[in-house]
Amino acid sequence: MLKKDVNQEYKGPVSVYLKQIGEIRRLTKEEELDLWQRLEVCRDKKALLLEKEDEESKKELEALEKEIDSIQHKLVKSNLRLVISIAKRYYNSGVPFIDIIDEGNIGLIEAVKRFEYKKGFKFSTYGVWWIKQSIVKEISSKRHIIRFPMHIARLIKKSIQTSKVLTQQLGREPTTDEIAKEMKIDRKTLSYIMIFTQDTASVDSFFKNSDNNDMTSVIEDKNFPSPHQKAFMDSLRDTLTEALKCLDEKERTVIISRFGLYGKEAKTLEDTGKELNITRERVRQIQIKAIKKLAGLNLSKELKSFLWD
């Protein structure tokens, strides 16, 4: 069943369509299998008749094509709920829901025409791929225009086609490694290609059932620390500053320079010595003395609390 808010928003023709779909009797497994078997027999007969050119064969061919259309229509009709269940996932995609359903139905029709029941796999597994690809194609063409380099576009198309073929052969969705092996490319390249097949969304689009929250409110800005990181760093800085007050100016400079405190880069004994115009050995002595002072402070336990195991 569709979610309540979807049914409430769509009225008129769409609401009527959804109601009609709900009233269609679903075929049993036995009934659907019988239709697939009949369809396969008809297809085989059609292949034989196409080799003949006499008038009688043409009449038989016309009758056979009508029977094929009738069987395919029944199979499509019995699987319309499958389209609705997949279309729901793309409800907030920026494309009218009725258009999504229409494209999903086109994908279903194509799946029915191509499915081979003899391989022993479920039609729903195979049909989902055709329905999803048809819907995604419609959304991509209407919602965004993103142009890829020609060689990337070819690889994207090939990866989608390969996935469909493997789904039919394996009876399940293929793994990335299986697709990469079939395409004769490495897994890293395929993973890169598959990034471009993912759905995109405008940063200005709002979340469902929300008037104020858009995409920008939840996208992480990696140039700035998170609230938890900022609180941690502020607390560490304050504790560190309090601890360094027990040191004289030279000792403070050595500790800050050697350990890269306050965002500075850590320096070697030699570089620190050059900065203070003293020897490397003298820097080491000052460092040892300063660390002993810090270790004797009551704040040493607080400083240790900032360390990870």
Side-chain angles (χ1 to χ4, degrees):
M1 294 295 290
L2 289 174
K3 293 181 180 178
K4 187 177 180 181
D5 58 333
V6 178
N7 285 326
Q8 287 177 342
E9 178 168 344
Y10 284 96
K11 297 179 181 180
V14 179
S15 178
V16 173
Y17 175 78
L18 295 177
K19 185 178 180 181
Q20 289 174 343
I21 295 300
E23 293 174 352
I24 295 175
R25 185 182 73 84
R26 301 186 68 176
L27 298 175
T28 64
K29 289 183 180 180
E30 292 73 18
E31 289 174 330
E32 189 166 311
L33 178 60
D34 179 64
L35 287 175
W36 286 119
Q37 290 173 339
R38 285 171 54 195
L39 182 61
E40 189 69 23
V41 171
C42 290
R43 286 171 176 171
D44 291 340
K45 288 182 179 179
K46 180 180 177 180
L48 294 173
L49 290 173
L50 287 173
E51 297 176 359
K52 302 177 181 180
E53 297 182 356
D54 57 277
E55 287 299 321
E56 186 177 345
S57 296
K58 288 181 180 180
K59 290 181 181 180
E60 288 182 28
L61 187 59
E62 288 178 5
L64 200 58
E65 286 178 343
K66 287 182 180 179
E67 186 176 356
I68 290 174
D69 288 341
S70 176
I71 295 172
Q72 289 179 341
H73 176 73
K74 290 178 182 178
L75 288 167
V76 169
K77 190 175 179 180
S78 69
N79 284 281
L80 288 175
R81 283 189 181 87
L82 179 61
V83 175
I84 300 298
S85 66
I86 296 170
K88 287 190 299 181
R89 306 173 192 174
Y90 301 91
Y91 174 56
N92 283 322
S93 61
V95 176
F97 192 52
I98 187 63
D99 291 346
I100 294 175
I101 294 174
D102 285 344
E103 285 301 317
N105 288 339
I106 292 172
L108 173 63
I109 292 170
E110 190 66 25
V112 168
K113 289 180 178 179
R114 293 174 177 266
F115 183 65
E116 297 178 21
Y117 88 95
K118 286 184 177 179
K119 293 190 175 180
F121 304 124
K122 292 176 65 177
F123 172 74
S124 58
T125 304
Y126 182 71
V128 163
W129 269 98
W130 284 95
I131 295 167
K132 284 175 65 176
Q133 293 306 322
S134 185
I135 290 174
V136 170
K137 183 179 178 181
E138 173 70 3
I139 292 173
S140 298
S141 64
K142 286 193 174 181
R143 187 180 62 182
H144 298 291
I145 299 177
I146 301 177
R147 300 188 182 279
F148 302 114
M150 188 60 68
H151 70 285
I152 293 293
R154 289 198 194 98
L155 286 173
I156 291 173
K157 184 177 180 180
K158 185 177 180 181
S159 69
I160 293 172
Q161 291 174 338
T162 303
S163 294
K164 293 175 182 176
V165 173
L166 289 176
T167 298
Q168 171 74 348
Q169 293 176 351
L170 302 173
R172 58 172 171 79
E173 292 188 12
T175 64
T176 303
D177 288 330
E178 289 170 339
I179 297 172
K181 184 178 179 181
E182 185 69 19
M183 292 178 65
K184 297 181 180 179
I185 59 175
D186 59 87
R187 193 181 192 280
K188 185 176 180 181
T189 301
L190 180 61
S191 298
Y192 172 74
I193 293 169
M194 293 180 75
I195 292 174
F196 297 109
T197 65
Q198 297 175 2
D199 291 339
T200 57
S202 171
V203 294
D204 296 320
S205 59
F206 288 91
F207 289 106
K208 185 178 177 182
N209 299 327
S210 174
D211 296 328
N212 301 315
N213 294 327
D214 57 18
M215 294 290 287
T216 57
S217 65
V218 297
I219 295 176
E220 179 185 5
D221 187 345
K222 295 186 178 180
N223 293 322
F224 293 91
S226 67
H228 296 293
Q229 289 174 324
K230 189 175 187 307
F232 176 87
M233 295 306 296
D234 287 346
S235 180
L236 175 59
R237 180 184 290 271
D238 292 342
T239 305
L240 194 58
T241 299
E242 189 66 26
L244 292 178
K245 286 181 180 179
C246 74
L247 306 178
D248 60 38
E249 185 177 349
K250 184 169 287 188
E251 289 170 342
R252 247 191 326 270
T253 303
V254 168
I255 292 298
I256 292 172
S257 177
R258 287 287 292 121
F259 296 99
L261 304 181
Y262 299 111
K264 295 183 178 181
E265 185 179 351
K267 295 182 179 180
T268 64
L269 290 170
E270 187 174 346
D271 289 339
T272 303
K274 289 179 181 179
E275 182 182 339
L276 297 173
N277 198 26
I278 57 179
T279 64
R280 182 176 182 276
E281 179 59 25
R282 181 58 185 151
V283 173
R284 190 182 67 79
Q285 292 172 357
I286 294 173
Q287 177 180 314
I288 292 173
K289 182 180 178 182
I291 290 174
K292 286 182 179 179
K293 283 185 180 181
L294 292 171
L297 293 176
N298 291 330
L299 290 171
S300 62
K301 290 183 179 179
E302 291 186 38
L303 289 171
K304 287 180 181 178
S305 69
F306 291 100
L307 298 175
W308 285 278
D309 293 333

